[in-house]
Each structure stands twice: as C-alpha cells, then as structure tokens.
Amino acid sequence: MSTASRQQGGFVEQGFREMSVALAARGVSKSFGGLKAVQDFTLELPTGSLRGLIGPNGAGKTTVFNLLTGVYQPDVGVVELGGQSILGLRPSKIASLGMARTFQNIRLFGELSVLDNVKLACHVRAEQSMLGAILRTAFSRNEEAAIEAKARRLLQLFDLDDRRDEAGRNLPYGDQRRLEIARALATNPKVLLLDEPAAGMNPQEKLALRALIRRVRDEFGVTILLIEHDMGLVMDICEHITVLDHGAVISRGTPQQVQEDPKVIEAYLGVAEESEKQ
Amino acid sequence: KKEPAAPTAGGNTPAAATAGEIVIGHYGSLTGGQATFGRSTDEGILLAVNEVNAAGGLEVAGVKRKVKLVSEDTESKAEKAGDVVRKLISKDNVVAVLGEVASSITLEGAPVAQRAKIPTITPSSTNTTVTEVGDYVFRVCFIDPFQGYAGAKFVREQLKLTKAALLVDKSSAYSDQLSKEFAQAFQSMGGTIVATADYTQGEKDFNTRLTSLREKGPELIYIPGYYTEVANIAIQARALGMNIPLMGGDGWDSEDLAKNGGAAIEGTFYTNHYAPDNPTPAITAFVTKYGAAYNGKVPDGLAALGYDAANVLFASIKTAGTTEGPKLRDAIAQTKGFVGVTGTITIDANRNAVKPIVVLERKNNAWVYRATIEPK
Amino acid sequence: MPTHVLVARAALPFLVSLLLALLLHFGVARFLDDYDRGLVMSVGINIMLAVSLTMVNGFTGQFSIGHAGFLGVGGYVAGAVTYATSLKLYGDLETRGSMLSGTSLNVDPATLSWFGQGDLLFVASLLAGGCAAALIGYVVGLPSLRLRGDYLAIVTLGFGEIVRVLIQRTDKTAALQAWDRVHPGVPAPEGVSRVFAIENSVLDPATGLSQTTYTAVSDANWFEIAPRVGGSLGFSAVPDYTSIFWVVLFAGVTIAVASRIKRSTFGRAFLSIREDEIASEAMGVDTVRYKVRAFVIAAFFAGLAGGLFAHFKSMNPNEIGFARSFDIVIMVVLGGLGSISGASIAAIIVTLLPEWLRGLDQYRMIIWALALILMMIFRPQGLLGVREIWDKALWQGLVRFIKREKSSPKAGGGA
Amino acid sequence: MDQLLQAIKDSITIGCLYALIALGYTMVYGILKFINFAHSDVVVIGALSTAVLGERMLHKLAPGATAAWYYGPLLLLLAILICSTVAFTVERLAYRPLRRAPRLNVLITAIGVSLLLQNAGQLKFLFGTEPHPVPMLIDQTATIFTVLGVKFRWLDLAIIGTAIIFMVALDYLVFHTKIGRGMRAVSHDTRIASLMGVPVDRIISFTFITGAALAAAGGFLYALRYQTVTQPADTGWALLGLKAFVAAVVGGIGNIRGAVLGALAIACVENFGAAYLHPGYTDVYVFVILILVLLFRPGGILGKAVVEKV
Amino acid sequence: MLEVRSLAVKYGAIQALHDVSLKVEKGEIVTLIGSNGAGKTTTLRTISGLIRPAAGSIVYEGKDITRLAPHEIVKLGLAQSPEGRGVFPQMTVEENLSLGAYTRSDHAQIAKDREHALSLFPRLRERLTQLAGTLSGGEQQMLAMARALLAKPKLLLLDEPSLGLAPQIVQTIFKIIRDINAEGTTILLVEQNAHMALKVAHRAYVLEVGRITMQGDAKELAASDDVRKAYLGGH
Ligand SMILES: Nc1ncnc2c1ncn2[C@@H]1O[C@H](COP(=O)(O)OP(=O)(O)OP(=O)(O)O)[C@@H](O)[C@H]1O
Ligand SMILES: Nc1ncnc2c1ncn2[C@@H]1O[C@H](COP(=O)(O)OP(=O)(O)OP(=O)(O)O)[C@@H](O)[C@H]1O
Ligand SMILES: [Mg+2]
Ligand SMILES: [Mg+2]
C-alpha cells in the first residue's frame, strides 16, 4: 500500500498543474424550513489539495459536509466525486466511492475497541462474501489478516497502537479525535473531510495535529477539506480557504487574501484575530 | 410382552409398587389464563384420592394400596404439556395420567402418554380429536358433537324456537366445533341459523357484534363460549334491549357466571355434565363432600368430572388387578355403566364416554335442572 | 498452509457439532429418561432461538420483539411440509426416520438404518421452514429503512401478533373422519372405517354459516393440504422426527455460524450499526442492507428452530405471541447483549430453572419473576457481558479475580 | 345506520379507556425510554381492587340494586391509592437501581415485574384465579337518550366524563406546572436535567404515580363497564395493555395528546373493522394500522420524527 | 466558598483523579487547565454530584455537599454548564432557556434575565423555536452558556465554554465571564484555551493525569515556562 500511495503522491504533484478535480460542488443549496442554511455553494477541490472552510458559527459549514457526504440531499445543485455525480446516493455508497469524514461531535463506536474501530472502517474495501466468512475460506482468512495488518499500521502512524484494546469512548478527547481521523483513513478515501479536528485540544496538541494532517496528505495522497475555528492552524496549513457566512460564500483565496478581506474580518475574524496573535 | 427399547422402560420399573403406593398424575393449568379450570379439576381429583385413602387405599389384587396424586402445572400452555407428562411418567412413575381441560393442551400431553403406553383419561376435553390420538387415551366427558346435538334438540323440541344466531369464540377449537355441530343438528331439525358473529377469548366488548345479530331478528343466541366472556355478552345484550334466551355449552359452567352476569343471565340455558341440584344420590353426596373439603364451595362441572375421571381410573385399577399400562388400558376401555356424579358412564369403542346431558336454566337467580337429553 | 489443513480448520466447528450431536444422541442420552431428553431438546431449540436473536438484538443493536413470529412461520411451514408429504406419500403420519431421528418406538432399533427417507423429508422440511422464515424476515427487516430503535421494535411486535392471529384463524388440520362422511355412498374397503380428510367449509352468505364437506387426503392436492394447519386447536399432527441428534447438530451450526459472523468483518459491520448508525454509514457500511441481512439470517435460524419444535412438540398459535418473544429477548439480555455463548447459557437457565422450581407450586412463577428482576439489577451487563466463553480475556479476568480472592485471605492469615 | 352510530359510540367509550391506559405507557416511555410492560398489570390491580373492595363493602346489596352514588368515587380513590402505591414501590425497588443500566435491562425487569404481579395476584389469598363480579355502582341500563336504537347510557357518560377529567388534569399538569416542566426535562436527558436542578428521582416517582393513577382510573372504568374482572394472568389483559401501548405509539410515543388521539384511532379501527370487515381480525387491523402509520409517519401521528444532527 | 479536599475518583478500575484539592473564594474566577484526559471534566462532574468520589470531600459555603444529589446542589446555587454543550436536543431553544431557570420562581426577574441573555447572543433570538439539537455546534454552545446565565447561580462551573466557537464569539464568551463575575458570580472555569482562560482568571490550577501539579496566581502561571510550553503552545 505504501508504494501505491507514494506513487499517487507523485502523481499529485503533476496533477496539480493539470487541475484534476477530486471533489466538486456546484450551486448547492439547502434550507431547513424557512432557514437557508447553504445557498448556491460552489467548491472545487483539486486532487491532492489541502483546503479550508471557515466561517462564523451557524454559517453552514457542517451542513456543507453533510451535503457532500450524502447525510443531507441538496435542494438544488450538483456534487461530483472524481467527476461522477453522487447526488442521491446513500452515505455508505459515497464512502465506498472514496469520501471519508470526521464529525464535529465525535462519533466513535464507543463500545468497540480502538483496533476494531479502525478494522471496521476497512470493511468497505473488503471483498469476501458473507458465506465465505461463515465457511472461513482461505480468501476470507487472508483478507482478515490483511485488514488486521492495515489497521495496526494506521494505529502506529497515529500513535494509538498501544491503546488498541481500549474501548473507544474511554480515550481522552484528543485521542478520540485522532482515532476518528485514523478510522476515516482506513476506508482508503480519495477525499477526506475534517470537521473541527482541533476542537478541544490544547495548543500543544494542536501543533502535533498540524504535522499529522500534512503528513496524511503527503503520504496518502488524500485530498483534504478542513473546517476549523483555530485560525492559527487554518492559516498555517491550508493552501486555499473558502469563507462562508449565512450559508453563502463571502470570500475565497489564499490564507493571506482571505485574512485581509474586509468582509471576512467583519463577519468572522473581527478583532479576535488580533488578540489571538499576541 | 416386553416393549422393545421403549425409552420409558428404564423409568417405569415398579418402584411405586414396592413402596405400596399407587402414583397417579394430573397435569392441568394451575396458573395462567385457565387456572380456574385446572384448579377445580385438581380439587375434584384430590377429593377422590383422599376418599380412597381414607378408606384404607385401593384394593389391587387383594392388597390395599394407598394412592398418591402428583399434580403438575402446564401454565395454561400446550407447549408445557408434553414436558409435564414426560416428567410424570419418567420421574414420578405414575401408572396413569389424568388431565387437561383444554383440548389443545391435552392434544400435546396425550401423545406422550400414548407412546409410553400409560393410560390417560381427560376429564373434560370435549374435542373429538383428543381420543383419536391413540388407544391409551380416554375421556369421561361427552364430546362436542353430542353436546351440539343435545343443545339443538332442546331448543327445537322443548323451547320450540326456529331462528337462532351464533356467537362463536374463534380462538377456541371447542367453541368452533360446538357451534358447527349445533348448527348442523339445528338445521337438520328444521331450524335456521339467521346470523353468525365471532370473537376472541379475552375480548370484553361485544356491542357491535350484538347489534349486527339483532338486525337479523333471532329468537335465541347460541353462544358456545367460556363463561368469562358470556357474562359480558349477556350484560351487553340486555343493555341493548335483547331479551331473547341465550344458550351455551359446558363452558358456561362456573358459579362465577352468575356472580358476574347478575340479572342479565336470567332466562339463559346451557348444556352441562351435571346439575348440582339434580337430586340423584351421587350428586348430593358429592356436593356435600366437596363442600366439606373446600369450605363450602359448590363444585362446578370440572370438579365433578375430575372426581369421576379419578374414580373411573380407580375402578379400572381394581378390575385390572394391576397397574400395568396395557392391562389397565383394557380395563378402562371396558368401563360400562359406571355411576358417576356426572351421569352413568360407558366407554365406547372410540374411547369416548357415552352419557346423558343435562340442560340447566337460570330462573329466579338460581341455576335449576331443566332436562336430560339421552345419547343418540 | 496446505489446503487440506485450511479446509479442516474451516470445517472444524461444524465437525465438532456433528460429533457432539452423535455423542449426546448415542452416548449421554442413554442415561437420561424421557423427560430429561425432552428438556435437552427444549434447551437446544431455545439456544437456537436465543443465538439467532442475538444477531439482531445483540449485533446490530436493533430491537426485535417479534422473534416468536419466525418460530411460528418456520414451525408451521416445516410442519406442513412433512405433514402434507407424509400423508401424500405414506398415507399416515408415522415417522420413517433412522436411528438418528426421534421417536420410532414401534420399530425395532436393530432394523434402523443410518439415514432414512424420512430423515430426508425432515431435513428438507426444516430447510423449507427456515427459508420461509427468512423470506418473512426480509419483509420485516425492510421497514428498518425508515424506522429506528423502538419503533422498529414495535413493528416486529406487530408482525408477530399478525402472524399469530392469521394462523389462529386459518382452517384446522385434516383429521380422521369416518369413511362415509368422506365418501358418501361409496362402500368402505375392508378394514377401513376412517381416513384422513380435510374439511372444506363453504360460507352460506344468507346465514353466515359454514357448510362442511370433506375430501380424503389421498384425493387432495398437496397444496390443499399444506396450508390447512392453523386453527386454535394447535397443530400437533406432525410426525416426531426431532431428536437430540438433530437439535444438537443444528444448535451447533447456529452457534458456529453466529460466531464466525461475529468475528469476521461482517460482525464488525453489524456491531458498528449498534454503536452509531450515522458514523457507520459514513464508514461505508450500508446500514439498511446489513440490518435486513441480520433479520434474514436470524429469521432463518429461528425458522429452523421452529421446524425442530414442530416435529417435537405441537405448534399452537397462542404460544407464538409476544409472551414467547419476550422469553427469547430475556435469554439474549440475560446472556449479555451480543454474546453468543452468553445467550446459550442463558437459554439453558431460562429453560431449566422454571422446571427445577416445580415443587414450589403456586410460588414457582413468582420466584422465577423475582430471580429475573434480581439478575437484571445485580448483573445488568448479563452473564458474560459482550464476551464469549472462548475469549481469552474472559478467562484472564477470571484468573485474576480468583487470584485476588485467594491472595487476600492469605494476607489476612499471615497477619 | 344504527350500526354506524353504535360503532362511533363504542369507539369513543373504548377509546377513552384505552387513552387512560395509553397515557401511563407514554409517560413512562417519555421519561425513561422503556416500555413499561408491567403497566397493564397495574390496570388489572385497579380493576380487581375495585371489584374486590366493592364486593366487601357492598356485599349486603340486594342483587340487581345499585349502590349509593358515593361508592363510585370512593372506590376509584381507593383504586388510585392502591395502584399508586404499587407503582411507586415497583419503581423504587425494581427500576431505580437500573437507572444507569441499558434500557433493554429495564425492559426485561419490567417483564419480570409483570410476571411477578400476575402470579402474585393469582395467589389464593390475594385475588385468586376466579373472576370477580363488580357491584352495581351505576345503573347499567339507565339511558339518557336513544337514537336509532342505540342507547346512550349514564354509564357511557360516566366513563367518558371521568376519562376527560383525568386527561385534562394531566394535560394541565404536564404543560402548565413546574413539575411538568421537570418531567419534560427528565424525559430528554436525566443527567443534564439534574444539572438544571430538576430532582430527577422524585420526578420519576411522580411520573409512575401519575401513570398508575390513570391506570387505576382505567381499571375502575373497565370494571364499571364490564361488570366482571377476570384473573390477572388472563391473556386479555396483556392484549389490552399491548393495544393501549400501540395507541401510544400511533399517537406518537412520549406525546400526551398523541396518546389520546392514538387511543381513539385504535378504538375506531377496532370497532369499525369489527362492524364492517370481519370481527375476527380486530388485532390484525390494529397492528396493520400501527405499521402503516409508522411507515408513513415514523414518529406517530403527533410525534416528531427524531432528527439527529451530525 | 468551595473547597475540594483530597478528591479521588475512579471509573471502574481506572483512577481518574488522585488526591485533588482546590479552593474557590467568593468573587473569584478560578481556572482549571490541563491536557486531554487530565481529569478536568471529572472534577467538575464530581463537584456537581454526578459522580460519587471514592475518597475526599467537597465543601460548599461551609456545607459538606459530597453526598448530595445533583439537583440539591443546584438548589444551593452551584450550577454547571456541562462539557459537550448538554442542551436538550429535542426541545426548542426557548424551552431550553426556561429550564435554565428551573429552580427560580421570581418570574419578573427571569424574564429580564432572559432578555439580557438573548441580547448577548442575538443568534439565539433568531432561533427561539428551533429544536436545540439542530443548532450548529457553536450555536449550541451559546445556548448552553445562556442557559447557565439564567440559573443565576452563586457559583458557576463552566466546562470548556469556548469549544467550537468562532474567534469573535470566543471573545464575547470571555467578556461575559468577566461581566457576570463583576456582577458577583463566582466562577470555576475549565478551558483548553488556556491562553484566554489565564487572562480572565484570578487564580489557576494545573491538572495533569489526575493530579494538581501547579497552582497560583493566573498571571504568574501564564508567565511560567512550564505552563507556556505545555499549554500555551509557546516555544
Ligand atoms: N437539521 C436541521 N434543521 C434545522 N436547522 C438546521 C439543521 N441543521 C443545521 N441547521 C441550521 O443551519 C445552520 C448551519 O448549521 P451548521 O451546523 O452547518 O453550522 P456550522 O457552520 O457548522 O457552525 P459551527 O461552526 O457552529 O459548527 C445553523 O443555523 C443551524 O441551526
Ligand atoms: N466514563 C468513563 N469510563 C472510563 N474512563 C473514563 C470515563 N470518563 C473519563 N474517563 C477517563 O478519565 C480520564 C479523565 O477524563 P476527563 O474527561 O475528566 O478529562 P478532561 O480533563 O476533561 O479531558 P478533555 O480535555 O479531553 O475533556 C481520562 O483518561 C478518560 O479516559
Ligand atoms: Mg459545524
Ligand atoms: Mg473535559
């Protein structure tokens, strides 16, 4: 797997110029009752990019994620994954097509062990049949072994291997967040959506997370879209940022451009950015 | 003759015989939905057993031996009946099994006894199929076809009515069969069934159904159900202004029907195994003894049948002179003219009891004996 | 690993079941009396029910309280197949099994073969029952597309009740009838006074009353015979093929299949649904499909159990209702949600304890109820929790526990 | 026509009975999220204590005569007292220790309690197995008016009236009092509710007592209407409980007004089904309607489908 | 006002707190910082009576509250805004707010406080009839804070009030903390945003794997090297 991903990583470098689009949303809108949570949202994620989605609370960021992953269906608009429309598909189908996510409110399988959390996520790539599993054919046996190996490798990467037998919900908050990312990666995604991965972490842990996200992008060649309120983190690692307010895109560009956009300062950053930086 | 590899052979060594005691089993619904029936039957059987023991025991081949009764609970579930009968036979080594009231439960228990070649007598399962299980299965009650016939005959010949409606408990095979037999007999005697409606055990509300029956103008409603529902049906029918006679079968037999139905059951009839006020010596003696044993209770038909079933068994053990299954079976099959509380019982070729039926009428707040219908 | 080793390993649990079944049937059963043997079979059937329900309630965390419905469907279908075929082929309802099958009392055991044509019929009917139940399981699982949690539970309950009422109200079984009722006017052949016949009731619209005629089973089509098995009297006219051998074999297979699934990637997929459906979808688990699958598999084994039940005791519509379903749920929870071995042990307890308590008379059911409540209060995670008897962790925990128990009194003694 | 009228009248009266029972289910479900299978047994206790106490008090009453007017309310009060005590004790001893256990455990405990109450009730020195007659607390036949041969009796009025009084009182309690607010808070999240200062245990006890009082009223009216109360293990009771529960679900479980609506709906389905389709399949109609309602409105008629935001 | 003495808490076999002692004086803002899994939430839960400690005691205004039920503790004026928002998801925003004032009965004042809270979070006013569960993460956090304000406690425990909030709202939250403190509410604050927490607090405790490792004046701690390194992301 590592060689494959590295190749893919190499491909990313070139593909960047060709602007192959991993994920695209065009003119997507969603309202709840009278509330327009997302309006005419458009976004293109080039393959291998690492981009950010920010905006004030209730701007519609999580809703965008839900629209992309099939949890909600857009009222209008198109969502394409690798050039193929994924409108109307169930979230599980979308996941099998190569999109994974983490949740703003952590959703681990609390009673399952850390290892099983990751192994479960490998299920979507499993090829054995249920009958094969019942009869425990050689194929299913080998596949189980491969899944175990893959899960262990991921846990090692995320520094969670020594806690693999613990129940998911007994991990501290920060570890749970990392486990969520590991679990998402286990589905072999092409696109990874992270919803506030740094929430509830202290500055020290956030630093480590930054490095980890970069590494994931580089080593796995995954395209990443990130929601985060920690400006330090967003501005540091994202190549490109989209800003939402009241469901509409109010600005997009490089961190530099966005940070200087008066609309963004008014709606979101405010004076906060100043005091944060002290 | 030895039975090859009968699984019970190991269990049925005459351990009881050496102890001098004759063990008989009773399986019945001592708890659950039909506990009233099971407990009444049990009391009747116990009375018979105590009587025999008080007289020093049962004389078998010249030796007086005490009788021991083992009663087991089926929880009113057919599913349990097999287990329970197996237990009586394998663990308690009973020589014969008495039991169940409900035909559906007896149908589960009887095959077990049949297979083990232990005679079984059901006191009160009236469904025809019960004794068809095999040659070890007997009953001391009449069967539903006869009861339906007797009811029809009474309505046509004594009440002289021609238009009847049926209200059937569809959850009970007893009710189902009885209604069909009644209808058939009634029609063959020139009556007509003007309407039919049905219900399920445990239901409490019959207004809609009674209303629909009323529209057809019947002169009598035949309700072959259990007294639990009949009381309600009567009350609701009277409240709807239907003051025509109601009639049913032995499922009505319980002092609770009067208690619950109150004035509404005035002018109703039912066919039964016996009438406590029927002044035959057997009945009077039984009623007195039963009252003395169970602080003044008036025995219902199930208690009387339990008592008779036990006594038929005892008489057969005496004539057989042994408790061995096949011989005992033959002795029971030869029962003829046994004078029981519920009439003179003769066992026919199909192992059913041939006996007369009585009709009771509710008059001035009391059940009174009205007529006897002899077997066809 | 060489192929034959792999194959042997793959088949191991099934072989073990077979051996155990043979051992119990020919070995242990000799020392038991009829009653005990009956209990062993009841236990086995209940294990199948509990383990199959574990796949729905324990693995996927759905909450089915209509499991007895599948027992009913399987039992009635399997029973009907044997019943109709026996009548059609043999004209009677005797067993024609082998030494593996249940009651063949009228036959000299020495003449019995290893596998009779009756066994073939029996196994075929069991499979038919299982498949019918699985089909219904599919239908019952479908609402899980829209319903979650307790609402799904209530739908399963509703389904169970519908099955019960429908069975209760179908016509009754064919019964022995007098020859002249069935063939009016035709003289009876010598020695024949009664034949198996089915009732044909025609409703007279004027009176609402049914007119009854009879058809001899030998003249009827099998599809006329098979469905007529309902009715409130119960369905007891099924030849008793079920034996300890078959029950133990099928219970073993059920346990093996369930635990194989549990330990495979599919087991994890099931468990993830129990933990968090939304996250599970996001990880690519098609939750609806898996829930339906769980229902289908569980229903299949419950249907098999039903078939065994029908060829052992009698089917009765009043006893496949919700009370029975609750009994099975009790076993599952008592054993520990999701634990296969736990459910099996609980099935043993739930079957045997009330029997052992006989003798307590009218207090028996009270004590059983109290025991149930106390077990829930003092062992809320069930007997084994989510663990299995064959999990190392369970034994390690036990060893640690015993060691601690042992060491503490020693310390006390030393002081 | 008279059949229609009769069916409507019966639907309403029976619907009221179902509603009283359904409310108990819905309240306990709402607050503890488990189906209290022992609830129908509390209804039985209400009905049986009405019958047994009535028998004791009024044994000198001439057959067919009606008791003085105050016996009705008196017996109702006693039934409420007994049922509430039973429910309180059960909650305290059997359910409270399981506050943190998975819901399925509580459910099994409820089944255990139900078995316990049934079998204890069958003991000879309690209610025994035989049916109990109910003294005439109200003249069964006294009619207010008759339309098309359908009689509207005082009895029907008493049932509907009592039920309405209880339901209105409950509605007020839940939606307009502090206790009601507490109940609703506990129903959503006990832990957070306790952080808001809501005395969770007391509220839960109170809910059980209220539910039991309604059950007692249901049992009482039942006894009044049907004049005879059968033993506790009678399957009819379990089925009655089940239908009341189904009513609660159809209306939207946890929703007080929904329970009443669901009860009326279920009673209609039963009575109209029996009158116009086939009386033998009433249970099937009820469960088919249940499944249909849930498929088209997964939260019940008045219930909100639970939305979970991710 | 609040004194926690030698608190020990266990989750089954895992010991989450060892010998934790801390003090909150009337009128103070005290903050409790520490990395993930240090036991901050556990400490607050134990104070509120949600968890029974294995050892130690909690004294509030001279009264031992270690064994009191959560609602009794709230009645004494000690409220908590729990971790993970803890709104009632199936209730509307409006109902959530009214439950905040459950223990109070001064209706006129409640209405005023409600107005005040809504003016602090205009977002909530727009959403009064929405089910709290469908609010965005940040909106839920605002609701939890507003609800805590309506309880008018004497001592308020806040568990990560700034989690998932946009930078500007974070500012608002800390301003509110200062304001209500100025109005006389004592506050015990648990924060990951140690930076801001140390700025508003008077005193601070540092919790590490279930033990208090440092304590003292907030400004001084913020300046100390250890704290800068571990919790402020300083270099
Ligand atoms: N299922 C729903 N029903 C009604 N309103 C909803 C629903 N989901 C989201 N909303 C509303 O849509 C808006 C956008 O919510 P969303 O969760 O996308 O915000 P967000 O940008 O992720 O905010 P935050 O940073 O606080 O997490 C919010 O105002 C929220 O109240
Ligand atoms: N219910 C539980 N069962 C077992 N262990 C638990 C439980 N809750 C917490 N823990 C453990 O107790 C320790 C302290 O947890 P706590 O939630 O108090 O930490 P915290 O300081 O609030 O961390 P965070 O900043 O992540 O919220 C952690 O190691 C955690 O894994
Ligand atoms: Mg969000
Ligand atoms: Mg915390």
Side-chain angles (χ1 to χ4, degrees), chain A residues 55-58 61 104 196 199 228-231 268 276, chain E residues 85 121 136-143 145 160-174 191 193:
Chain A
N57 294 120
K61 305 180 294 296
Q104 179 168 10
E196 299 197 22
E228 191 45 78
H229 285 301
D230 184 311
M231 285 308 108
Y268 184 50
E276 193 84 41
Chain E
R85 289 112 198 195
F121 302 107
S136 85
E139 289 163 348
Q140 290 184 15
Q141 192 67 60
M142 297 177 210
L143 176 57
M145 189 74 192
E160 305 207 17
S162 75
L163 186 87
L165 287 179
Q168 240 166 338
I169 310 288
V170 174
Q171 290 294 311
T172 318
I173 291 279
F174 282 101
E191 255 304 328
N193 192 338

Side-chain angles (χ1 to χ4, degrees), chain E residues 9-151:
Chain E
V9 174
K10 284 180 182 167
Y11 289 111
I14 307 166
Q15 180 143 15
L17 294 184
H18 308 261
D19 195 24
V20 166
S21 297
L22 56 84
K23 239 187 198 161
V24 181
E25 300 292 348
K26 208 173 180 66
E28 271 189 321
I29 300 179
V30 172
T31 182
L32 187 59
I33 58 176
S35 50
N36 286 137
K40 307 180 292 294
T41 302
T42 307
T43 311
L44 293 201
R45 283 195 185 152
T46 316
I47 295 175
S48 275
L50 291 173
I51 303 174
R52 282 276 147 85
S57 64
I58 301 160
V59 179
Y60 170 73
E61 292 193 317
K63 187 173 173 191
D64 188 340
I65 59 166
T66 323
R67 307 254 146 225
L68 289 191
H71 70 271
E72 289 168 310
I73 296 177
V74 175
K75 265 211 191 110
L76 295 174
L78 198 165
Q80 175 176 172
S81 164
E83 182 181 51
R85 289 112 198 195
V87 296
F88 295 104
Q90 299 297 320
M91 284 179 141
T92 62
V93 171
E94 175 92 69
E95 286 173 305
N96 264 281
L97 287 176
S98 84
L99 274 167
Y102 186 81
T103 48
R104 296 171 60 186
S105 45
D106 45 341
H107 296 285
Q109 189 58 38
I110 293 177
K112 253 192 227 158
D113 290 348
R114 182 171 164 281
E115 275 313 300
H116 177 63
L118 288 177
S119 67
L120 290 174
F121 302 107
R123 226 330 144 46
L124 293 181
R125 198 192 291 278
E126 297 165 22
R127 298 274 190 273
L128 276 178
T129 55
Q130 191 174 334
L131 290 187
T134 65
L135 291 176
S136 85
E139 289 163 348
Q140 290 184 15
Q141 192 67 60
M142 297 177 210
L143 176 57
M145 189 74 192
R147 197 179 56 183
L149 294 184
L150 275 178

Side-chain angles (χ1 to χ4, degrees), chain C residues 57 62-63 65 142-144 146-159 161-166 168-170 276 278-279 318 322 326-327 329-334 337 361-363 365-370 372-382, chain D residues 29 33-35 37 93-95 97-98 101-109 111-113 115-116 119-125 235 238-239 242 245-246 249 252-253 278-284 287-288 290-291 294-300 303-304 306 308-310:
Chain C
N57 285 15
Q62 302 306 301
F63 176 30
I65 39 177
L142 278 186
S144 63
R146 289 180 61 88
L147 296 174
R148 292 211 173 136
D150 290 345
Y151 288 98
L152 188 60
I154 294 152
V155 167
T156 61
L157 184 117
F159 144 77
E161 286 303 291
I162 291 174
V163 167
R164 179 182 67 76
V165 177
L166 290 183
Q168 185 160 64
R169 305 198 56 99
T170 51
D276 187 331
I278 291 175
N318 293 323
F322 57 93
F326 288 173
D327 282 350
V329 176
I330 288 175
M331 296 174 205
V332 171
V333 178
L334 203 59
L337 262 186
D361 210 28
Q362 53 174 340
Y363 295 97
M365 293 313 283
I366 297 180
I367 297 209
W368 164 233
L370 278 176
L372 197 63
I373 297 170
L374 291 178
M375 281 193 267
M376 282 301 121
I377 292 177
F378 292 106
R379 186 102 191 134
Q381 72 275 45
Chain D
Y29 185 90
K33 295 287 176 294
F34 84 97
I35 308 168
F37 281 113
L93 298 182
Y95 299 152
L98 286 164
R103 284 190 300 139
L104 220 45
N105 284 70
V106 197
L107 192 90
I108 304 289
T109 312
I111 296 174
V113 169
L115 277 176
L116 182 71
N119 287 290
Q122 281 203 344
L123 288 179
K124 289 209 178 75
F125 52 84
T235 41
L239 212 59
L242 208 59
F245 174 67
V246 164
V249 176
I253 188 127
H278 190 294
Y281 293 94
T282 44
D283 295 349
V284 175
F287 288 106
V288 167
L290 165 81
I291 293 176
L294 285 186
L295 284 183
F296 291 104
R297 277 197 66 90
K304 297 176 205 124
V306 178
E308 195 176 1
K309 185 176 180 293
V310 279

Side-chain angles (χ1 to χ4, degrees), chain B residues 4-8 11 30-31 39 71-80 82-84 86-88 90-91 103-105 107-108 111-112 115-117 127 129 132 166 169-174 176-177 179-181 183-184 187 192-196 198-200 216 350, chain C residues 32-39 42 46 103 105-109 164 168-169 171-172 175-177 181 194 199 201 204 206-212 214 231-236 240 309 312-316 318-319 323-324 327 350-351 354-355 358-359 361-362 364-365:
Chain B
T8 46
L30 303 181
T31 62
R39 290 188 189 179
S71 295
E72 286 296 355
D73 179 17
T74 59
E75 298 164 36
S76 309
K77 293 181 191 159
E79 187 207 319
K80 293 280 173 185
D83 291 337
V84 161
R86 265 188 285 271
K87 181 200 169 252
L88 288 172
S90 338
K91 297 281 184 218
S103 296
S104 57
I105 306 185
L107 277 173
E108 172 77 30
V112 176
R115 224 172 282 142
K117 303 213 182 329
N127 193 281
T129 52
E132 285 165 8
L166 297 176
D169 173 358
K170 266 286 172 184
S171 64
S172 143
Y174 155 76
D176 203 26
Q177 190 177 25
S179 70
K180 281 186 184 154
E181 299 292 351
Q184 210 161 25
Q187 284 166 320
T192 37
I193 303 291
V194 292
T196 308
D198 55 31
Y199 63 92
T200 315
K216 300 280 165 46
N350 294 324
Chain C
L32 301 178
D33 58 33
D34 216 14
Y35 170 65
D36 294 331
R37 262 179 290 200
L39 289 186
S42 296
N46 281 339
T103 2
L105 288 182
N106 326 355
V107 191
D108 184 356
R164 179 182 67 76
Q168 185 160 64
R169 305 198 56 99
D171 255 329
K172 59 173 167 185
L176 273 174
Q177 294 292 344
R181 248 190 177 179
R194 332 194 74 199
E199 267 184 29
S201 296
D204 179 347
T207 59
L209 188 75
S210 48
Q211 293 293 329
T212 312
Y214 296 88
S232 44
L233 195 55
F235 180 34
S236 51
D240 290 352
F309 189 88
F312 165 42
K313 295 181 172 179
S314 67
M315 300 302 296
N316 192 308
N318 293 323
E319 286 153 34
R324 184 66 197 256
D327 282 350
V350 172
T351 320
E355 290 294 322
R358 282 192 183 279
D361 210 28
Q362 53 174 340
R364 181 168 78 106
M365 293 313 283

Side-chain angles (χ1 to χ4, degrees), chain D residues 21-45:
Chain D
I21 305 168
L23 284 168
Y25 279 106
T26 233
M27 286 169 64
V28 170
Y29 185 90
I31 213 156
L32 290 178
K33 295 287 176 294
F34 84 97
I35 308 168
N36 183 13
F37 281 113
H39 190 66
S40 65
D41 301 287
V42 177
V43 180
V44 188
I45 293 177

